Amino acid sequence: MHLFFRLITCKNIQHFPAGIYIVVIECAPSESSHIIFDTAGRGHVIDRLRLSGFSCARCNSSDLLCYNCSFCSPGTYSSRNGTCVECPAGGFYQDEMGETEFKNCGNGTYVSEKRHPGKRATDCWACPYGTLSNETAGYRACRCLHGFYRLDRFGPCSACPAYGINCKNDTAILAPNYFWNWTAEQTKVFYKGFVDNIDTLGSEYNKSFSTFTGSLPKPLKCPRSASCMGGIDSKCNVGYQKILCATCTSDHYLRFNTCLKCPRMTVAILSSLGVIAAFVVVFMMVLWGDSKATENSRTIADVIMSCFKIVIGFYQVVTGIFSALVRVQWPVALISIEKYINFFEGNIFQFAPLSCIHSRLRLDQFQKFSTVISVNASVVFLILLYLFLKYRYIKRKLDCSDSEKIQAMSTLKKSCYRNIFLFLLASYPITCNAIIRILPLPGLCVEICSTYDEKECKSFLRADYSIECFTPRHWLYGSIAAVFAFYPAKFPLVMLLLIYKFRDSSAGENISFGLRVFFENYKDKFWFWEIIEMYRKLILTSLIFFFGTDNLSQNGLTMFIVGTFGVAYTFLRPIKSTFEDRLQTFVLWVIFFDVCLGVMNTNCDVSASHKGNYSIAVNILFVLLNSSVLLVALGKGFLQVKFFWKKISSCLMQSFHFCCRGVVYLKRKLGSFLHSFMTQKTQFERQPLIQESN
């Protein structure tokens, strides 16, 4: 085979195969040569040329044996397919001709995409801000420093935001317990491609995804503990959905800012019926105890109502505190006992998972408000209707005297008035909570901005993130709630005036009896104390909600109020019954313990996740103290029942002995009568015989 070289440079000629060559060598930096092959087998030589830094292609002439072979110029290198490839952007350059690979820039330097290919060492500039300077750049503008991220593969790195973002491997990913909302789905898809591409360290990265031209959404702290999983898609954990992952899915229900799995349908129905039955039993016990007096001349109804107020008031307050102080790492046992707390709080919407029975029974905050107001009005209406119908029935009875009718009507009124006041007192915190949470007041709506420039913003109701504020529906319910806004503040004042006027009045005897639920268990000089208790419950169950969850003053205010009421009660001792006084004192200091525990376990870092307190000692103490209130009350009730059972059994035994003595007496009388009768009968039968013998 004979090769005829018309022109060739003398770079890497040593790679030529052995043979006889007729060649004219021009040792100059020329980038072109023409090689004519006169026989087959030229492919082997071309391959060798390509391995020597040449790029070979057919000549433009009609000569099929003519190939144009040229050296790869600076900034390029030859590839196996016979082309010269530009040095990639990043830490690479080539300052010589006819090379088969590129050179590496010095540590901390790179060639940008705009300036590549690098043709000399001076084309390698210092890597941009926020990158490592002690290693080679690779296929990027040096790696980012720890805690930095970039949106351009060959651009500078930025410091990671103070919260909500995890920066790793040059990327910014949403942290757990945070939520962000992309303004466009395409933007999110492109960012996912950018993140996947920047993780590619080799030359196979996709240049189409080298730069993300959009902007990252603003990270938002999720209000529910462990509800947000983070990540680019900002996925919600199991049981959570929608904005901020703050709404429960259809198969979960909300308890203490946590979405719990719905129980089985049977359990949900039975729990709902159980709540209703329990409160019916309480009112029936009150009705039954009206005429049953204790050893202190108090009726059983009075004792039941007094203990009922203390126990239900305790659980209403602690439930409000547990729900409001969301940044507190409460003991994990709270989730285990929460349904019992909600049961004794008296909130059927929290205890009985109505939404688990059917999706139409899932109530948002507006529907809960409507339901609470309707239930209050309905219960009062039904009691008054019962009063009206029973009053007419008594009035029309013909077999009773006027004095008996008047007595029956008075007893009826007393019972109905007392039940109305008892119900309003028990439902007061729940009603106030439902009203206050939807009032059109500053701070009750949370503005959520998806971008840092705050152009994409919406407001949601803090009590229910499924409700958007400042919509026609929000204005409608807010206006209705504003009409009822007088209730939380003025209802206790109205009761105070009624108690002051009727507590010792004979003119309003029936009303006075009904109002006894407010003052009966207090000492005479503290007849007003129940009004103070109502305002205490109002503050601890509703008003602390005004303070944001990220505001530590919420904890301070709660602790101050709890401590102040605890100290005041301990010094004044307004309850006259020894047992009830001790129970109330114990209740106040258990609440103080709960708040102190919450303050000590408050996470000051807004970006941190809310983990429960797993201390075994703390959990055991927490459960014992919060459940002991109910256990003590039930124990007292058991002793009371035992006391009355002794009285009843004593009466029964006395009646039995009386009956036995009566039976013995009758037996003796009957025996004496029978003996006398038989004697007389014998004498009567003997008289004819005597007469005949005579």
Side-chain angles (χ1 to χ4, degrees), residues 81-321:
N81 60 5
T83 60
C84 292
V85 181
E86 291 183 341
C87 294
F92 314 106
Y93 75 99
Q94 182 53 261
D95 58 354
E96 298 184 76
M97 292 189 304
E99 291 295 327
T100 58
E101 59 183 15
F102 44 72
K103 295 180 181 180
N104 290 323
C105 293
N107 288 350
T109 62
Y110 82 113
V111 180
S112 67
E113 274 195 323
K114 292 181 179 180
R115 293 183 291 107
H116 93 289
K119 297 180 180 181
R120 58 189 65 87
T122 55
D123 289 338
C124 298
W125 290 3
C127 287
Y129 171 80
T131 58
L132 293 168
S133 59
N134 59 348
E135 59 183 36
T136 57
Y139 291 90
R140 65 185 68 200
C142 298
R143 290 193 303 123
C144 290
L145 294 170
H146 178 72
F148 282 68
Y149 74 101
R150 61 171 23 124
L151 298 179
D152 184 352
R153 189 182 189 95
F154 298 94
C157 297
S158 302
C160 202
Y163 64 92
I165 300 291
N166 287 337
C167 296
K168 186 179 180 181
N169 296 332
D170 292 12
T171 59
I173 306 297
L174 183 68
N177 299 301
Y178 280 87
F179 183 91
W180 63 17
N181 189 27
W182 293 89
T183 55
E185 184 67 20
Q186 292 180 346
T187 307
K188 183 183 74 171
V189 172
F190 189 88
Y191 185 70
K192 292 177 70 174
F194 168 78
V195 171
D196 293 339
N197 188 55
I198 208 169
D199 285 338
T200 303
L201 303 179
S203 60
E204 65 274 13
Y205 72 90
N206 189 343
K207 293 183 179 180
S208 300
F209 291 97
S210 292
T211 303
F212 176 70
T213 57
S215 57
L216 296 179
K218 182 180 179 181
L220 304 166
K221 181 67 176 176
C222 294
R224 312 292 185 205
S225 176
S227 60
C228 299
M229 299 176 64
I232 298 176
D233 292 319
S234 190
K235 292 183 178 180
C236 299
N237 215 330
V238 178
Y240 300 88
Q241 64 177 347
K242 296 183 179 179
I243 188 75
L244 295 181
C245 300
T247 305
C248 297
T249 56
S250 58
D251 57 345
H252 285 70
Y253 62 99
L254 185 64
R255 292 272 177 79
F256 291 159
N257 297 293
T258 303
C259 290
L260 302 179
K261 179 72 175 177
C262 280
R264 290 177 298 175
M265 180 69 70
T266 305
V267 177
I269 295 175
L270 291 177
S271 63
S272 301
L273 295 176
V275 173
I276 298 173
F279 284 95
V280 170
V281 168
V282 170
F283 281 101
M284 293 301 295
M285 290 176 64
V286 171
L287 290 174
W288 170 77
D290 278 339
S291 59
K292 307 297 187 297
T294 65
E295 69 275 12
N296 296 323
S297 72
R298 296 174 65 195
T299 64
I300 296 179
D302 294 333
V303 176
I304 293 174
M305 287 188 301
S306 180
C307 293
F308 177 77
K309 286 191 303 180
I310 295 173
V311 173
I312 199 172
F314 166 73
Y315 288 110
Q316 285 172 340
V317 168
V318 296
T319 300
I321 292 174

Side-chain angles (χ1 to χ4, degrees), residues 529 532-533 536 539-540 556-574 588-589 591-592 595-596:
W529 195 265
I532 298 177
E533 283 290 307
R536 178 181 71 90
I539 295 172
L540 294 177
L557 174 66
T558 305
M559 190 170 184
F560 172 77
I561 294 172
V562 170
T564 300
F565 276 97
V567 172
Y569 184 89
T570 303
F571 277 99
L572 296 177
R573 300 282 184 172
L588 293 175
W589 290 111
I591 296 175
F592 184 75
V595 175
C596 289

Side-chain angles (χ1 to χ4, degrees), residues 258-474:
T258 303
C259 290
L260 302 179
K261 179 72 175 177
C262 280
R264 290 177 298 175
M265 180 69 70
T266 305
V267 177
I269 295 175
L270 291 177
S271 63
S272 301
L273 295 176
V275 173
I276 298 173
F279 284 95
V280 170
V281 168
V282 170
F283 281 101
M284 293 301 295
M285 290 176 64
V286 171
L287 290 174
W288 170 77
D290 278 339
S291 59
K292 307 297 187 297
T294 65
E295 69 275 12
N296 296 323
S297 72
R298 296 174 65 195
T299 64
I300 296 179
D302 294 333
V303 176
I304 293 174
M305 287 188 301
S306 180
C307 293
F308 177 77
K309 286 191 303 180
I310 295 173
V311 173
I312 199 172
F314 166 73
Y315 288 110
Q316 285 172 340
V317 168
V318 296
T319 300
I321 292 174
F322 293 154
S323 299
L325 305 182
V326 297
R327 288 179 58 189
V328 173
Q329 296 180 351
W330 295 110
V332 293
L334 175 63
I335 299 299
S336 302
I337 66 172
E338 50 82 27
K339 63 180 182 180
Y340 304 106
I341 291 178
N342 279 283
F343 172 82
F344 292 102
E345 179 206 1
N347 191 344
I348 184 174
F349 308 112
Q350 285 290 330
F351 173 74
L354 300 177
S355 60
C356 295
I357 299 176
H358 197 279
S359 58
R360 292 186 178 180
L361 296 177
R362 181 178 294 274
L363 306 179
D364 61 24
Q365 197 62 40
F366 288 159
Q367 293 168 332
K368 287 180 181 179
F369 163 76
S370 302
T371 305
V372 168
I373 298 300
S374 300
V375 168
N376 277 270
S378 299
V379 170
V380 174
F381 173 76
L382 290 175
I383 294 176
L384 292 177
L385 179 63
Y386 170 77
L387 172 62
F388 173 75
L389 296 176
K390 191 68 177 291
Y391 188 88
R392 293 192 62 183
Y393 171 76
I394 294 174
K395 193 174 182 179
R396 292 180 179 181
K397 288 182 69 175
L398 301 177
D399 55 343
C400 295
S401 62
D402 292 340
S403 60
E404 291 176 339
K405 290 181 180 180
I406 293 173
Q407 181 64 30
M409 291 177 183
S410 177
T411 303
L412 175 65
K413 290 180 180 179
K414 289 179 181 179
S415 178
C416 290
Y417 290 161
R418 198 261 310 284
N419 288 336
I420 290 175
F421 289 130
L422 177 61
F423 174 77
L424 293 178
L425 177 62
S427 64
Y428 173 75
I430 300 172
T431 305
C432 294
N433 192 284
I435 295 172
I436 290 174
R437 293 195 172 206
I438 66 170
L439 285 174
L441 296 175
L444 293 185
C445 285
V446 180
E447 187 178 52
I448 298 175
C449 298
S450 301
T451 57
Y452 287 98
D453 57 10
E454 298 185 354
K455 291 183 179 179
E456 298 286 338
C457 298
K458 290 184 179 180
S459 293
F460 295 89
L461 197 68
R462 180 186 292 174
D464 190 341
Y465 284 87
S466 67
I467 298 176
E468 186 174 349
C469 292
F470 310 120
T471 60
R473 184 169 181 252
H474 176 245

